Amino acid sequence: QTGSANTNPSDSADDEYITSVSIGTPAQVLPLDFDTGSSDLWVFSSETPKSSASGHTLYSPSKSSTAKKLSGSTWSIEYGDKSSSSGDVYTDVVTIGGFSVKTQAVESATKVSTQFVQDTVISGLVGLGFDVGNQVSPRPQKTWFSNAANSLAEPLFTADLRHQETGSYNFGFIDTSLAKGTIGYTPADGSEGYWGFTATGYSVGGAKLNRNSITGIADTGTTLLLLPDNIVDAYYNNVESAQYDDSQEGVVFDCSEDLPSFSFGVGGQTITISGDLLNLTPIEEGSSTCFGGLQSSADIGINIFGDVALKAALVVFDLGNERLGWAQK
Ligand SMILES: CCCC[C@H](NC(=O)[C@H](Cc1ccccc1)NC(=O)N1CCOCC1)C(=O)N[C@@H](CC1CCCCC1)C(O)(O)C(F)(F)C(=O)NC
C-alpha cells in the first residue's frame, strides 16, 4: 500500500507548504502543514476559542462517528519561532493521499498563539518527526507516518517541495522520476525527534566542495536554510549589496543581484541550490530589496536544512533504515 498527496506553497515566498488531510467520518478536510521537525498532529477544532478560530477550517469530533476522546490526555507544544499551541486529544481515522490510519491521535487545540491565529492558510500541523518527540501526556502518541509505516509497501516517505508550484509527499514508495540525480543516503539520527544528519562539506558558486562537515536537520516545517555564521559570511561575501538588516533580522540585498548557488555534499552526492532559490522574496510588496533564503543559525543552536534546501532535492525519509536520501532535482 502507498499514499500520494500534493502539497502547495502557501504564498509567493514559499513560506510554508499546505497539504489536504481528511479526518473523521464523514471526512472533514483540513489544510495542514507537514512538518518533519515535530511529531504532533494537531488541528484547529470546535474546541478552539471562536476569537482564535475565525478564518480557519475546523475539526469537529462531535460530528465524526469514529471520533473517540482519549480521556485524561493533553498536549502542549512550543516551536522554534516561539509559536505555541495546546489542548486535548481524540483518536479518529486520518487519511493522507488515499492511505488511512484508523486510530490516529488527533490533538485538538483549545489554545493557539497569535502566529497561528493569523496564519489562516493552515489549520494545524502533521508532525512527521520521530515518535520520541511527541508532546502528549501522560502517554505520548505515535505520528501518522509511524502508525502507517508497517502497512506501507516500504517504511519511508519522500518530500518533493517546489518553488511556486505543486509538489508532493509520497508514502511507501520512491518516484525516482521526480529527481535528476542519484539518491545519496546517509544515516539519520532520530534521538531528538528530528531527522538529523551530517553533510560532508559545502561550496559557493559551483566551486569544489570543501570537507567542512555540517550537522543539522532536514525540516519541512522551516522556511529557510539556517547555517553557521562562517558559512553565511562565505556565501554573502560574493553578494555585493548584501548587508544585515536589523528590522528584517536577516541578510538582505538588491533584488537585481545575480546570486551564486550553494552546494552541500550528502551521501556521496552533491546537492546544489540555485541562486534563484536563495532569493526568498522582496522584504515587502514591490520593494527592490530582497531577503536571503540562507540565514544564520547562530542563535538557534541547531542547523536547519529547511524548505530553501529541500526545494533543490527529492528527499527520502527512510524510517526502516534510519537514513535520509537526497537526490538533485
Ligand atoms: C527558529 C528556527 C525554526 C523556525 C521555524 N519557523 C519557520 O521557519 C516559520 C514557518 C512559518 C511560515 C509561515 C507562517 C508561519 C510560520 N517561518 C519563519 O520563521 N520565517 C521568518 C523568516 O522568513 C521566512 C519565514 C519553526 O519553528 N519550525 C517548526 C514548525 C513550524 C512552527 C510554526 C508553524 C509552521 C511550522 C519546526 O517544527 O520545524 C521546528 F523544528 F523548528 C520546531 O520548532 N520543532 C519543535
Side-chain angles (χ1 to χ4, degrees), residues 15-16 33 35 37-38 79-81 83 115-116 119 219 221-223:
D15 275 315
E16 55 193 354
D33 186 355
D35 178 22
S38 65
Y79 296 100
D81 58 17
S83 59
Q115 182 184 294
F116 285 116
D119 187 12
D219 184 2
T222 288
T223 311

Side-chain angles (χ1 to χ4, degrees), residues 10-11 15-16 33 35-38 77-83 115-116 119 122 125 194 217 219-224 226 280 291 300 304:
S10 60
D11 58 20
D15 275 315
E16 55 193 354
D33 186 355
D35 178 22
T36 58
S38 65
I77 192 163
E78 182 171 336
Y79 296 100
D81 58 17
K82 303 291 172 259
S83 59
Q115 182 184 294
F116 285 116
D119 187 12
I122 60 166
L125 268 62
Y194 304 119
I217 65 171
D219 184 2
T220 58
T222 288
T223 311
L224 303 177
L226 301 168
L280 193 77
F291 189 78
I300 305 171
I304 303 186

Side-chain angles (χ1 to χ4, degrees), residues 19-286:
T19 310
S20 286
V21 175
S22 292
I23 307 176
T25 312
Q28 300 179 41
V29 180
L30 277 71
L32 303 181
D33 186 355
F34 283 22
D35 178 22
T36 58
S38 65
S39 308
D40 288 62
L41 192 166
W42 72 265
V43 292
F44 274 71
S45 72
S46 49
E47 299 177 331
T48 310
K50 292 287 158 285
S51 54
S52 301
S54 77
H56 292 268
T57 307
L58 308 179
Y59 166 62
S60 300
S62 61
K63 292 184 182 148
S64 170
S65 61
T66 40
K68 288 190 187 60
K69 185 97 187 317
L70 199 61
S71 62
S73 291
T74 60
W75 61 281
S76 177
I77 192 163
E78 182 171 336
Y79 296 100
D81 58 17
K82 303 291 172 259
S83 59
S84 61
S85 50
S86 59
D88 51 23
V89 188
Y90 292 80
T91 59
D92 209 338
V93 56
V94 175
T95 302
I96 294 175
F99 187 94
S100 296
V101 167
K102 289 193 177 27
T103 313
Q104 172 63 40
V106 179
E107 301 169 34
S108 164
T110 56
K111 213 165 134 197
V112 291
S113 67
T114 309
Q115 182 184 294
F116 285 116
V117 173
Q118 294 170 341
D119 187 12
T120 52
V121 292
I122 60 166
S123 290
L125 268 62
V126 174
L128 294 172
F130 288 76
D131 288 342
V132 67
N134 181 263
Q135 298 298 298
V136 173
S137 75
R139 287 176 308 288
Q141 300 296 304
K142 287 174 178 281
T143 68
W144 183 87
F145 172 62
S146 173
N147 282 321
N150 297 338
S151 311
L152 288 169
E154 294 180 272
L156 59 81
F157 65 92
T158 67
D160 171 22
L161 303 184
R162 298 198 171 227
H163 172 57
Q164 291 301 286
E165 57 175 298
T166 299
S168 65
Y169 283 96
N170 291 331
F171 296 92
F173 72 103
I174 301 172
D175 177 357
T176 51
S177 73
L178 294 174
K180 284 203 199 80
T182 309
I183 300 173
Y185 287 99
T186 193
D189 168 12
S191 58
E192 304 289 315
Y194 304 119
W195 285 86
F197 75 102
T198 297
T200 50
Y202 66 89
S203 72
V204 176
K208 192 172 171 312
L209 289 184
N210 63 25
R211 294 180 183 290
N212 303 8
S213 63
I214 312 168
T215 296
I217 65 171
D219 184 2
T220 58
T222 288
T223 311
L224 303 177
L225 170 57
L226 301 168
L227 296 178
D229 283 338
N230 66 306
I231 299 179
V232 173
D233 294 345
Y235 179 80
Y236 287 114
N237 284 344
N238 296 273
V239 181
E240 177 72 28
S241 61
Q243 56 184 347
Y244 188 85
D245 179 322
D246 284 324
S247 68
Q248 295 297 320
E249 291 185 327
V251 178
V252 302
F253 41 77
D254 292 350
C255 296
S256 58
E257 289 263 16
D258 187 8
L259 294 178
S261 61
F262 179 84
S263 301
F264 60 95
V266 62
Q269 299 298 319
T270 298
I271 304 298
T272 297
I273 307 168
S274 70
D276 296 351
L277 288 181
L278 286 157
N279 178 341
L280 193 77
T281 185
I283 57 173
E284 51 195 68
E285 189 71 32

Side-chain angles (χ1 to χ4, degrees), residues 305-319:
F305 291 79
D307 300 338
V308 162
L310 300 170
K311 276 180 259 183
L314 173 68
V315 186
V316 183
F317 295 81
D318 184 344
L319 182 64

